[in-house]
């Protein structure tokens, strides 16, 4: 599958250079290419993008602010900064940015960076699987397909986009496997994937019912965890 790339640089000549390099690489698809960071932000909200290559210092919204939005909303988008300013390197590290390339740069510098990211995402795909022990079987589930997990009695049900999977593994064991930012232990009986949540509705004084996109089954979340979500994710 092609890696979907968004490009943003307010200088046309620099954007043109990015377009030339990225369009010349195999298995990359340019989803958008713009001189406006605001426009890039609109694309990120609506379209699926795997990689954003951005200048930092741009009028109104900066590339740094775009990366901050991606990081704070736990969006699964890698960022490469291509910039004339060295002043943001420490912040880029804090935002878990894939690379920080100083202008002017040789074409190979960006190519190597993108190739490195492709390799990294291939190995992350393998790490992005959950191995579920059932009686005599091991069931392999893509973590991103998990909507939520419920513990009931002595068994656990993992609700995925393709249907439920039952296991005797406890929530504590599964929580240890799901260290990604996407997953939250919302309640003593539930782990939820925040990317699939549709809404929270008040159930009792200290808890909410969680409903998910495209699924009738529901989970629970405590009031404390809703506050934690608002503080750390949104």
């Amino acid at each position: 599958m092609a890696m979907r790339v968004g490009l943003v640089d307010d200088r046309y000549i620099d954007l043109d250079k990015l377009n030339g390099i990225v369009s010349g690489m195999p298995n990359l698809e340019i989803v958008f290419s713009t001189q406006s960071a605001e426009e890039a932000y609109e694309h990120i909200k609506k379209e699926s993008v795997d990689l954003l290559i951005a200048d930092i210092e741009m009028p109104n919204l900066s590339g740094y602010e775009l990366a901050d939005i991606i990081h704070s909303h736990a969006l699964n988008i890698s960022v490469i900064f291509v910039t004339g300013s060295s002043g943001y390197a420490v912040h880029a590290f804090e935002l878990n940015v894939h690379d920080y390339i100083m202008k002017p740069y040789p074409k190979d510098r960006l190519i190597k960076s993108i190739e490195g990211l492709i390799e990294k995402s291939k190995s992350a795909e393998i790490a992005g699987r959950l191995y579920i022990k059932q009686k005599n079987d091991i069931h392999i589930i893509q973590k991103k397909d998990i909507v939520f997990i419920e513990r009931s009695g002595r068994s656990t049900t993992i609700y995925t986009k393709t249907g439920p999977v039952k296991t005797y593994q406890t929530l504590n064991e599964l929580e240890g496997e799901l260290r990604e930012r996407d997953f939250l232990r919302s309640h003593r009986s539930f782990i939820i994937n925040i990317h699939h949540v549709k809404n929270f509705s008040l159930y009792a004084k200290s808890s909410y019912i969680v409903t998910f996109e495209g699924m009738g089954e529901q989970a629970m979340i405590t009031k404390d965890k809703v506050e934690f979500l608002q503080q750390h994710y949104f």
Side-chain angles (χ1 to χ4, degrees):
M1 254 173 71
M3 180 178 271
R4 293 166 59 82
V5 186
L7 309 174
V8 56
D9 196 313
D10 63 318
R11 287 189 63 204
Y12 179 77
I13 191 164
D14 290 334
L15 186 63
D16 197 42
K17 180 177 179 179
L18 288 177
N19 271 299
I21 295 169
V22 173
S23 60
M25 291 182 71
N27 298 324
L28 295 183
E29 179 194 339
I30 297 174
V31 181
F32 66 86
S33 171
T34 176
Q35 288 176 259
S36 154
E38 289 83 358
E39 202 177 299
Y41 176 51
E42 290 305 317
H43 281 290
I44 285 166
K45 282 198 295 189
K46 292 185 201 133
E47 296 173 71
S48 128
V49 178
D50 304 309
L51 167 63
L52 175 73
I53 305 177
D55 186 16
I56 293 184
E57 293 187 322
M58 292 181 283
N60 305 325
L61 191 67
S62 71
Y64 175 73
E65 286 166 316
L66 275 179
D68 193 33
I69 290 164
I70 286 167
H71 184 69
S72 61
H73 286 65
L75 300 174
N76 193 19
I77 302 173
S78 302
V79 177
I80 294 175
F81 281 144
V82 178
T83 176
S85 161
S86 60
Y88 292 87
V90 172
H91 301 303
F93 179 74
E94 286 166 3
L95 291 179
N96 204 13
V97 164
H98 172 67
D99 205 351
Y100 193 96
I101 299 173
M102 289 294 294
K103 295 175 183 176
Y105 59 94
K107 182 181 166 179
D108 282 0
R109 173 70 179 85
L110 181 57
I111 290 172
K112 277 201 167 57
S113 180
I114 296 171
E115 284 173 346
L117 180 64
I118 291 166
E119 283 308 308
K120 194 166 114 182
S121 54
K122 274 183 192 161
S123 55
E125 263 173 40
I126 296 165
R129 294 174 192 165
L130 194 60
Y131 296 84
I132 298 301
K133 295 192 270 299
Q134 293 174 318
K135 281 176 187 163
N136 301 316
D137 303 324
I138 290 179
H139 205 91
I140 300 167
I141 299 172
Q142 292 285 348
K143 290 182 186 178
K144 63 178 177 357
D145 291 339
I146 296 170
V147 179
F148 75 97
I149 304 173
E150 178 179 14
R151 180 77 177 172
S152 177
R154 288 183 57 231
S155 78
T156 300
T157 306
I158 300 167
Y159 290 93
T160 75
K161 290 200 278 192
T162 50
V165 177
K166 287 203 181 294
T167 175
Y168 289 107
Q169 283 166 269
T170 65
L171 286 193
N172 287 349
E173 287 171 325
L174 292 171
E175 196 179 8
E177 296 277 329
L178 298 169
R179 298 186 189 279
E180 289 82 357
R181 198 175 141 78
D182 315 335
F183 295 98
L184 177 75
R185 179 74 176 262
S186 62
H187 181 279
R188 62 191 164 78
S189 305
F190 293 94
I191 294 171
I192 63 171
N193 182 338
I194 64 159
H195 294 297
H196 294 291
V197 171
K198 192 160 77 176
N199 76 328
F200 303 119
S201 49
L202 196 61
Y203 173 70
K205 200 167 72 175
S206 59
S207 61
Y208 291 77
I209 288 173
V210 188
T211 55
F212 301 92
E213 299 286 349
M215 185 172 281
E217 290 84 3
Q218 298 172 322
M220 301 287 293
I221 186 168
T222 63
K223 190 165 176 276
D224 292 351
K225 285 296 164 80
V226 170
E227 283 163 9
F228 175 84
L229 256 183
Q230 286 172 327
Q231 231 175 342
H232 293 88
Y233 288 79
F234 301 114

